[in-house]
Amino acid sequence: MSGLRAPGATVMEARRVTVQDVETAAGRLQGHARETPVLTCGTLDELAGRRLYFKCENLQKSGSFKFRGAYNAISKLVSSTNQKPPPVVTHSSGNHACALALAAHQLDVTAHVVMPRNAPQCKKETVRGYGGKVYECTPTEQARVETMERIAAEEGAVYLSSSQHPDIIAGQGTMGLELLRQVPDLDAVITCVGGGGMLAGVSTVMKSLNPHVRVYGAEPELANDAATSLAKGERCPLSYYPDTIADGLRINMGPVAWPYIRDNVDDIITVTEEEIKNAMTLIWQRMKLVVEPSGVVGVAAALSDSFKAREETAKHVAVILSGGNLDLLKLPDLLSMSEHV
Amino acid sequence: MSGLRAPGATVMEARRVTVQDVETAAGRLQGHARETPVLTCGTLDELAGRRLYFKCENLQKSGSFKFRGAYNAISKLVSSTNQKPPPVVTHSSGNHACALALAAHQLDVTAHVVMPRNAPQCKKETVRGYGGKVYECTPTEQARVETMERIAAEEGAVYLSSSQHPDIIAGQGTMGLELLRQVPDLDAVITCVGGGGMLAGVSTVMKSLNPHVRVYGAEPELANDAATSLAKGERCPLSYYPDTIADGLRINMGPVAWPYIRDNVDDIITVTEEEIKNAMTLIWQRMKLVVEPSGVVGVAAALSDSFKAREETAKHVAVILSGGNLDLLKLPDLLSMSEHV
């Protein structure tokens, strides 16, 4: 059920991830991934009108939550064979590339990573620093997939998608298990949604173990395919690459994640670019955390008027700060010096 | 023993802070200050050649460790009277100003804060945001002290120095108690040293409760008065205002803190401006933490050749990240894009 699957292929055969799969993943991650801290901030509570609990996946190994899924998937691959495990391959311009390279390094597996030529140089160096093999390609979806397929064939490598894979989704779900332990009387949780792996995994845990917890996705207005999909009841991918500063959320929600989101998620909150910049500024200045633009989209949602109107009663809301990888020299362009700060 | 005391006055009467004073302070801080997390980082461990434990005081309330001392001192003041407690006054351009204003606000005490006219606007706004009364003055030591003394007299306010006060030192010592609980088999601890309150408090705890833990101060080479003082056995303040990027460490080690440092501290490590920039870059990029230049001086010391030569055997070394308040728009000037990152 894992193995090579091109992103566009049908996924009807994919077994639905259960909370037991997530618990098994948590066992694999024990001692390897971090149980990231949950922090709070009085200033943000005042702005939100309730208590917010920030799950700091920017402090996760490799700098984002992606390490959870990558480690779970490779660890399962390793334990499923008595022989030398096969190499893995993916295509990614960002956090999944770094996470897969680090997890593979720790599990003594070779990672092949296809990266668009225009991906940030620092990300390519991070992947190489973890021992990953980088293949540069033309920055189009087609070139990425073709290059990945060629390497998968040549190297006998197993393709691990950044979000459209059950073992990846189960790994990301472990954040949900931790949140249920770490946050008292949790009423709602907000995660950002790009491909949808994190939202699929976390919502599966909540709806299985504590179904009264409301689960929200958050995405930029400019990349609102998940919101449109949930409203229409069918997946509505964008046909273009949206120009949001939340670069990790430019991709469409994928077909494997969609059924979980359709069935488990209460609503998708969209936020403007200005709201994302305001949230960045607050998190950096008030919480002293380095979080990338995609990583604060859930914060922007928690502070938005639409969330306040949608959730009048929730007192304890968890927000996942998904990652902290960005080019620090670009920071002044990403901040909004508003009256909040 | 508290009350008004001009910075240059004799301090022979100051009772020596004991570990019992620190434990009393910890009781006052319980539920008000944060027990800040201790984080680790594989990349930094490799560079240091040992395990480093980072005590994240940048995540403390008001953005720095100064909240501990300020809250302890004001809380003691409040509990020592049955009447309305007197207002407090200090002069500070930075973290102590914000911490005192917040602690006073929480304890329903009025805070008067003298700030040099050229202090960062954001710091003045933070103090006002916490309800503190800001008095701007000419940016000289003399004007600061004179303004503070005038307000103390006019308002009947109690002067709380940023570091030269037993209750402040006892409050900062609570970090030492937490470190002994949080770090297994602690061999050494490094704190930065400006006025010396943190180093005085933490070293008192270590030498009382676990005297085999070595205690190091860290300061910029450009502001090396503590290193010179410890080497000569007498306090040797600089006669000028050093131009280090670690703006919180430009002040001289004070006369109240000096006896503790003289008696308890194993050595002072000095670091170059370039080492500070390298440490900033590593902490921001690898640990995803917003830490100000002064706050990474201990990190720079831990990575320095002189510390490695001085401490060949220490396996577990705690480093206090003292604060995270800075003007984010200046970040590009503070980073060093070196081969580490």
Side-chain angles (χ1 to χ4, degrees):
Chain A
M1 67 172 273
S2 70
L4 179 62
R5 180 190 305 132
T10 175
V11 293
M12 295 304 289
E13 83 278 19
R15 184 178 59 76
R16 186 84 170 225
V17 172
T18 65
V19 72
Q20 286 74 32
D21 295 320
V22 179
E23 280 164 353
T24 304
R28 292 194 191 104
L29 265 52
Q30 178 113 42
H32 301 287
R34 294 205 172 98
E35 176 162 325
T36 50
V38 168
L39 301 179
T40 61
C41 173
T43 302
L44 279 148
D45 287 353
E46 274 178 39
L47 292 171
R50 61 189 110 219
R51 195 82 204 254
L52 300 180
Y53 296 85
F54 297 99
K55 178 78 171 153
C56 295
E57 288 296 307
N58 61 322
L59 306 181
Q60 186 54 267
K61 285 188 180 172
S62 81
S64 85
F65 74 97
K66 295 281 190 186
F67 183 77
R68 296 173 182 265
Y71 192 94
N72 181 53
I74 302 176
S75 173
K76 184 175 166 188
L77 203 61
V78 168
S79 63
S80 68
T81 176
N82 290 324
Q83 302 180 321
K84 182 166 168 51
V88 295
V89 61
T90 200
H91 62 95
S92 163
S93 59
N95 286 335
H96 179 60
C98 300
L100 193 82
L102 179 59
H105 174 71
Q106 294 191 350
L107 288 158
D108 203 18
V109 165
T110 303
H112 302 278
V113 183
V114 178
M115 302 183 81
R117 199 162 287 127
N118 62 355
Q121 195 58 29
C122 61
K123 294 266 169 78
K124 292 178 196 161
E125 282 162 21
T126 301
V127 171
R128 289 194 188 101
Y130 291 142
K133 296 191 179 173
V134 172
Y135 303 80
E136 300 196 9
C137 73
T138 310
T140 67
E141 185 69 15
Q142 191 186 346
R144 286 166 61 148
V145 172
E146 284 177 7
T147 310
M148 179 276 289
E149 289 180 338
R150 178 176 59 75
I151 293 161
E154 284 174 9
E155 304 284 343
V158 174
Y159 169 53
L160 291 175
S161 155
S162 64
S163 56
Q164 305 308 302
H165 188 294
D167 299 340
I168 299 288
I169 290 172
Q172 320 308 29
T174 59
M175 286 178 278
L177 297 180
E178 292 172 20
L179 278 174
L180 286 173
R181 278 199 306 272
Q182 291 174 305
V183 180
D185 304 322
L186 183 63
D187 294 310
V189 58
I190 305 175
T191 91
C192 57
V193 51
M198 173 160 62
L199 189 52
V202 170
S203 67
T204 295
V205 169
M206 294 304 162
K207 295 305 169 184
S208 302
L209 297 183
N210 204 340
H212 88 265
V213 175
R214 275 87 70 195
V215 180
Y216 293 89
E219 66 184 357
E221 263 182 26
L222 294 179
N224 66 345
D225 63 297
T228 309
S229 301
L230 197 63
K232 293 201 178 174
E234 61 178 331
R235 199 166 74 92
C236 306
L238 299 179
S239 57
Y240 56 91
Y241 205 58
D243 188 28
T244 169
I245 59 166
D247 53 331
L249 307 181
R250 288 175 186 157
I251 59 168
N252 281 309
M253 177 185 61
V256 175
W258 162 239
Y260 301 86
I261 292 170
R262 179 192 64 208
D263 298 345
N264 296 337
V265 171
D266 291 80
D267 209 349
I268 308 279
I269 310 290
T270 60
V271 296
T272 65
E273 299 296 292
E274 203 51 39
E275 287 176 305
I276 298 171
K277 285 186 177 185
N278 277 339
M280 278 279 285
T281 311
L282 284 163
I283 291 290
W284 286 60
Q285 290 207 325
R286 293 298 179 156
M287 296 199 68
K288 313 301 178 189
L289 294 172
V290 173
V291 182
E292 61 193 87
S294 306
V296 301
V297 167
V299 181
L303 301 180
S304 69
D305 290 337
S306 55
F307 183 70
K308 286 175 183 168
R310 182 77 176 71
E311 266 293 347
E312 287 189 352
T313 59
K315 286 186 180 146
H316 299 104
V317 175
V319 180
I320 294 178
L321 303 177
S322 57
N325 295 321
L326 79 168
D327 182 347
L328 291 171
L329 294 179
K330 291 192 178 154
L331 183 65
D333 300 332
L334 300 174
L335 294 181
S336 147
M337 289 300 162
S338 73
E339 78 274 22
H340 293 322
V341 293
Chain B
M1 66 175 273
S2 69
L4 180 63
R5 180 191 302 131
T10 175
V11 294
M12 295 303 289
E13 82 277 21
R15 184 178 60 76
R16 186 85 170 224
V17 172
T18 66
V19 72
Q20 285 75 32
D21 297 319
V22 179
E23 280 164 354
T24 304
R28 292 194 191 105
L29 266 51
Q30 178 114 41
H32 302 287
R34 294 206 173 96
E35 175 161 326
T36 51
V38 168
L39 301 179
T40 60
C41 174
T43 302
L44 279 148
D45 287 353
E46 275 179 37
L47 291 170
R50 62 189 108 218
R51 195 81 204 253
L52 300 180
Y53 297 85
F54 298 98
K55 178 78 170 154
C56 296
E57 288 296 306
N58 60 322
L59 306 181
Q60 185 54 268
K61 284 186 179 174
S62 82
S64 84
F65 74 97
K66 295 281 189 184
F67 183 77
R68 295 173 183 265
Y71 192 93
N72 182 53
I74 302 176
S75 173
K76 184 175 167 189
L77 203 61
V78 169
S79 63
S80 68
T81 176
N82 290 324
Q83 303 179 319
K84 182 166 168 52
V88 294
V89 62
T90 200
H91 61 95
S92 163
S93 59
N95 286 335
H96 179 60
C98 300
L100 193 82
L102 179 60
H105 174 70
Q106 294 191 348
L107 288 158
D108 204 16
V109 165
T110 304
H112 301 277
V113 182
V114 177
M115 302 183 83
R117 200 161 287 126
N118 61 356
Q121 194 59 27
C122 60
K123 293 268 169 76
K124 292 178 197 163
E125 282 163 21
T126 301
V127 171
R128 289 194 188 102
Y130 291 142
K133 295 189 179 173
V134 172
Y135 303 78
E136 300 196 8
C137 73
T138 311
T140 67
E141 185 70 11
Q142 192 186 345
R144 285 166 60 148
V145 172
E146 284 177 6
T147 311
M148 179 276 290
E149 290 180 337
R150 178 176 59 75
I151 293 160
E154 285 173 8
E155 304 283 344
V158 174
Y159 169 52
L160 291 175
S161 155
S162 66
S163 56
Q164 306 308 303
H165 189 293
D167 299 340
I168 299 288
I169 290 172
Q172 320 307 30
T174 58
M175 285 178 278
L177 296 180
E178 292 173 19
L179 278 174
L180 286 173
R181 279 200 304 274
Q182 291 174 304
V183 180
D185 304 321
L186 183 64
D187 294 311
V189 59
I190 305 175
T191 92
C192 58
V193 52
M198 173 159 63
L199 189 52
V202 170
S203 68
T204 295
V205 169
M206 294 304 162
K207 295 304 167 184
S208 302
L209 296 182
N210 205 341
H212 88 264
V213 175
R214 275 86 69 193
V215 180
Y216 292 89
E219 66 184 358
E221 263 183 24
L222 293 179
N224 66 345
D225 63 298
T228 309
S229 301
L230 197 63
K232 292 201 176 173
E234 60 176 333
R235 199 166 74 91
C236 306
L238 299 178
S239 57
Y240 55 91
Y241 205 58
D243 188 29
T244 169
I245 58 166
D247 54 333
L249 307 180
R250 288 174 187 158
I251 58 170
N252 281 310
M253 178 184 60
V256 175
W258 162 239
Y260 301 86
I261 292 170
R262 178 194 63 208
D263 298 346
N264 296 337
V265 171
D266 291 81
D267 209 349
I268 308 278
I269 310 290
T270 60
V271 296
T272 65
E273 300 295 293
E274 202 51 39
E275 287 175 306
I276 298 170
K277 286 186 177 186
N278 277 339
M280 279 278 286
T281 311
L282 283 164
I283 291 290
W284 285 61
Q285 291 207 323
R286 293 297 178 156
M287 296 198 69
K288 313 299 178 190
L289 294 172
V290 173
V291 182
E292 62 192 88
S294 305
V296 301
V297 167
V299 181
L303 300 180
S304 68
D305 290 339
S306 56
F307 183 70
K308 286 175 182 167
R310 181 76 175 72
E311 265 293 347
E312 288 189 353
T313 59
K315 286 185 180 148
H316 300 103
V317 175
V319 180
I320 294 177
L321 304 177
S322 58
N325 294 321
L326 79 168
D327 182 347
L328 291 172
L329 296 180
K330 292 192 178 152
L331 183 65
D333 300 333
L334 299 174
L335 293 180
S336 146
M337 290 300 165
S338 73
E339 77 273 21
H340 293 322
V341 293

